[in-house]
Amino acid sequence: MLKVWTASSWERCFPNEGPPEEFKSSVELDAARNEAESAQIFLRGDHAFCIRNLRVEGLEGLSVTLRFLDTISFRDGIEYPDPLSNSSVCEVRENVTQGIWITVRVPAAAAVGEYSGSVQMDTSEGEIAVPVSVHVHRVCIPDGRNAAFSLEYWVNTAGFWWRNPHLEQKDFFAEQYGCQKYDDAWWTLVEAIADHLRENRVNVLLVRTHDLLRDGGTVLGEDGVYQFDWSLFDRFVSLFLERAEIKKLAGFHLVKQTEGQEVYTLVPDESGALCVRNMPLESPQAQGWLSQMLPALRDHLNEKGWLSLWIQHIEDEPADPESWLAVRSLVRKYLPDVSCFDALDCQKPAPALQGAMDFWVPRTDVYEENRAFYDFRLTRGETRWTYTCCVPNTPNYLNKFIDSPYWQDRLLFWGCFLRGFTGFLHWGYNFWDTEDEYFGLNPNAYFKGDGYIVYPDPQTGRIRTSVRMENTRDSAEDYELLAIVAQADPEKAYALAGRLMANFHDVTWDVAKMLHARRELLEAADAVCGE
């Protein structure tokens, strides 16, 4: 006999857990127009069984996706549900709970009102039907390109973060899929990633300028003059602009991460082919590269109509301000209208960066420990994003780890709204390093999943998305709702967010309270929209 129950997307159920004492047997969703909402269906049997042929009946006018919840294990031996399967069949072990993740996408033009249907499952124990109802609200949120919230993941495609300590990282696409950079299979995979970014409201694209110029055929003459070839750069950027909802292009960092003093430079290797090398900031090679690449980049972006989209990373997590400021002055000279920004994992360089950092990206704990500084910068008319990376890693701090509760992903951008952040940066979209034991795709990884928000799926030639990605998207959609309410009733919007948290590390753990606040948020947004 099979037990069947449902839960919200905010709650996690491990494979060794059965249904709670009180549970629902249907899916009930509230959604704005132009957004997606998810829920979960669980099945558990006292003997092994098979699930096949998942399908939806009813819910006409809505787009519904059904995926099996997979698990990933680490050295702690726990099976964490996070990857979402691309398979159409699932073999379920005896006394193991199997989740099915249902995502309902509501078109912007959908009619307001009630929709009903069911999820039908053919199992080896017979057919099972789970009722699904969706209340579509009046409010319609903007698409990613016009969103109030900016979301940047460092997608590793043309090059693989990071370049320290090794300038040439191994190629994860080649290792996982057997394809080589820029062959047909590689471009097909990149197209799938672009589609995934669109589906999940990732609207800021990290552009690996150095790699795309080198691989595209740029040459350095004996006279020290670069002949830049932008063809590959253009094909790559155009693909994402066409397939995703990109509103900003973020140029790859110019200076070596944290340590500074060295510039990522295209110089000839022993064979004469251009390669990326760290050259001292004051060296002729580094200065020649920056003084030629930056104005050439400006001219090309202007020609393509992309200059207004471009923002520029200088040095990730700078420990000292000197090298960041030196290269920032060159960007100001050659790209005068381009904003510069970077993640800050400590407060030490921040005071000296005032007047040079166009918008701030302190890590959540760095912000909370230095609120007076960053709140003052906000009064000067500056904007700010935030980020997480490995730390903060205490259970009370909101983060994106696989072993964190699902609701932490969902609440993260409510915290951004409450604290006045208009964007979020996360480095680890697909750092699929199987040898890295800090945050790579390794069973011994300490920071579980911090380096990857999606998983490789070489069997299907696709990527596997995750619960964390889905909940991050839904959090970004909640931010848009909060922003809509705040335009008419800021006190209401901030009160709703404040009901769930005081800051990034003082939050409620009550999921029922979270779900109630979100329903109230949708009703408040409807009221703003009127009839």
Side-chain angles (χ1 to χ4, degrees):
M1 181 177 178
L2 300 183
K3 297 177 181 178
V4 182
W5 70 99
T6 65
S8 74
S9 59
W10 303 60
E11 305 163 83
R12 179 171 59 188
C13 180
F14 288 95
N16 62 348
E17 294 178 329
E21 290 186 9
E22 297 184 8
F23 61 85
K24 291 185 176 182
S25 55
S26 62
V27 171
E28 300 169 1
L29 293 172
D30 282 86
R33 292 185 293 165
N34 200 35
E35 80 146 332
E37 272 297 307
S38 298
Q40 300 174 88
I41 301 170
F42 296 106
L43 293 85
R44 184 182 181 92
D46 54 11
H47 55 274
F49 64 98
C50 177
I51 310 172
R52 64 181 76 86
N53 192 24
L54 298 177
R55 63 193 186 279
V56 177
E57 292 187 358
L59 299 174
E60 287 84 2
L62 307 180
S63 175
V64 183
T65 305
L66 301 170
R67 289 161 295 188
F68 295 111
L69 260 170
D70 283 346
T71 62
I72 183 170
S73 298
F74 298 87
R75 58 185 173 187
D76 59 13
I78 298 172
E79 292 183 278
Y80 293 98
D82 182 59
L84 296 179
S85 175
N86 291 322
S87 176
S88 59
V89 178
C90 182
E91 301 287 343
V92 186
R93 293 168 289 160
E94 175 184 343
N95 293 320
V96 168
T97 294
Q98 177 60 51
I100 296 170
W101 191 266
I102 171 173
T103 300
V104 178
R105 292 185 176 273
V106 181
V112 175
E114 304 297 329
Y115 294 73
S116 61
S118 63
V119 171
Q120 304 286 329
M121 297 167 279
D122 291 342
T123 79
S124 54
E125 302 297 300
E127 185 165 305
I128 296 172
V130 175
V132 178
S133 63
V134 182
H135 176 70
V136 174
H137 287 254
R138 183 182 306 112
V139 63
C140 182
I141 66 171
D143 62 21
R145 189 171 286 114
N146 298 295
F149 194 69
S150 298
L151 183 55
E152 178 182 359
Y153 279 100
W154 290 355
V155 179
N156 297 295
T157 51
F160 291 87
W161 182 257
W162 67 99
R163 292 196 181 279
N164 190 18
H166 305 296
L167 284 171
E168 299 298 335
Q169 287 282 344
K170 60 184 178 181
D171 189 327
F172 304 143
F173 280 12
E175 182 176 86
Q176 293 288 343
Y177 294 87
C179 60
Q180 302 301 317
K181 276 205 297 186
Y182 316 121
D183 66 13
D184 289 344
W186 186 92
W187 282 108
T188 298
L189 193 55
V190 172
E191 288 175 351
I193 288 174
D195 293 343
H196 186 251
L197 299 189
R198 183 193 68 250
E199 293 166 2
N200 290 279
R201 301 184 70 84
V202 179
N203 54 11
V204 180
L205 177 70
L206 180 69
V207 180
R208 299 292 293 243
T209 316
H210 299 65
D211 301 84
L212 292 167
L213 286 174
R214 176 195 62 185
D215 298 341
T218 293
V219 296
L220 177 62
E222 294 183 0
D223 57 358
V225 175
Y226 288 94
Q227 298 296 322
F228 295 102
D229 189 324
W230 298 97
S231 56
L232 183 61
F233 177 96
D234 290 348
R235 180 179 179 183
F236 182 87
V237 172
S238 295
L239 184 152
F240 282 91
L241 290 177
E242 291 166 5
R243 300 186 77 106
E245 294 176 347
I246 301 299
K247 71 174 187 177
K248 289 294 179 183
L249 302 166
F252 180 68
H253 307 80
L254 304 173
V255 179
K256 182 179 178 181
Q257 180 194 27
T258 304
E259 299 175 15
Q261 306 307 320
E262 293 183 329
V263 172
Y264 296 130
T265 309
L266 286 191
V267 295
D269 62 13
E270 294 77 10
S271 68
L274 286 185
C275 61
V276 181
R277 290 289 182 265
N278 294 332
M279 304 303 296
L281 176 59
E282 299 301 329
S283 68
Q285 295 93 334
Q287 290 297 309
W289 162 254
L290 292 171
S291 65
Q292 294 184 61
M293 188 276 289
L294 291 174
L297 175 64
R298 175 200 62 215
D299 292 344
H300 187 72
L301 292 173
N302 191 49
E303 178 185 337
K304 297 293 293 185
W306 298 341
L307 186 57
S308 62
L309 305 181
W310 197 264
I311 53 180
Q312 183 64 54
H313 288 289
I314 301 290
E315 175 190 348
D316 184 45
E317 296 182 336
D320 296 294
E322 289 79 12
S323 56
W324 198 98
L325 289 170
V327 175
R328 175 67 184 96
S329 67
L330 293 176
V331 176
R332 182 173 281 134
K333 175 181 178 181
Y334 295 117
L335 292 158
D337 297 322
V338 168
S339 296
C340 293
F341 71 115
D342 272 309
L344 294 170
D345 69 341
C346 67
Q347 187 62 11
K348 178 184 174 184
L353 298 178
Q354 294 179 97
M357 184 79 75
D358 293 296
F359 60 96
W360 301 86
V361 194
R363 202 173 57 207
T364 53
D365 56 318
V366 174
Y367 165 74
E368 295 291 0
E369 293 166 4
N370 300 276
R371 280 188 60 195
F373 176 88
Y374 293 104
D375 288 353
F376 172 74
R377 299 313 310 171
L378 203 61
T379 69
R380 310 309 293 173
E382 297 170 356
T383 59
R384 60 191 186 197
W385 297 2
T386 189
Y387 80 110
T388 58
C389 179
C390 303
V391 290
N393 61 343
T394 53
N396 59 314
Y397 246 110
L398 295 177
N399 213 314
K400 300 174 62 58
F401 301 129
I402 287 172
D403 53 351
S404 297
Y406 282 177
W407 55 259
Q408 287 212 2
D409 298 299
R410 188 63 182 262
L411 282 189
L412 192 54
F413 301 157
W414 288 64
C416 287
F417 175 81
L418 187 67
R419 287 305 207 203
F421 292 100
T422 59
F424 185 86
L425 183 153
H426 187 74
W427 76 279
Y429 180 84
N430 61 325
F431 186 71
W432 295 329
D433 194 327
T434 56
E435 298 175 0
D436 189 285
E437 295 189 359
Y438 288 97
F439 30 66
L441 200 65
N442 185 298
N444 294 317
Y446 182 77
F447 300 107
K448 299 179 179 67
D450 196 60
Y452 52 94
I453 196 73
V454 298
Y455 299 80
D457 190 4
Q459 287 74 26
T460 66
R462 299 155 65 190
I463 59 172
R464 283 191 298 169
T465 191
S466 68
V467 169
R468 290 173 297 143
M469 191 65 169
E470 295 267 310
N471 282 338
T472 296
R473 175 206 64 218
D474 291 345
S475 189
E477 292 169 341
D478 290 345
Y479 186 102
E480 298 302 320
L481 292 170
L482 287 162
I484 288 170
V485 174
Q487 290 176 4
D489 190 352
E491 185 176 349
K492 176 70 172 179
Y494 285 99
L496 280 169
R499 191 184 303 170
L500 303 183
M501 63 185 67
N503 50 52
F504 285 108
H505 60 88
D506 183 3
V507 302
T508 182
W509 287 55
D510 187 339
V511 173
K513 185 179 291 187
M514 300 173 198
L515 293 170
H516 185 270
R518 185 176 183 277
R519 282 192 295 272
E520 193 172 337
L521 172 61
L522 281 164
E523 292 166 358
D526 280 348
V528 170
C529 295
E531 295 297 329

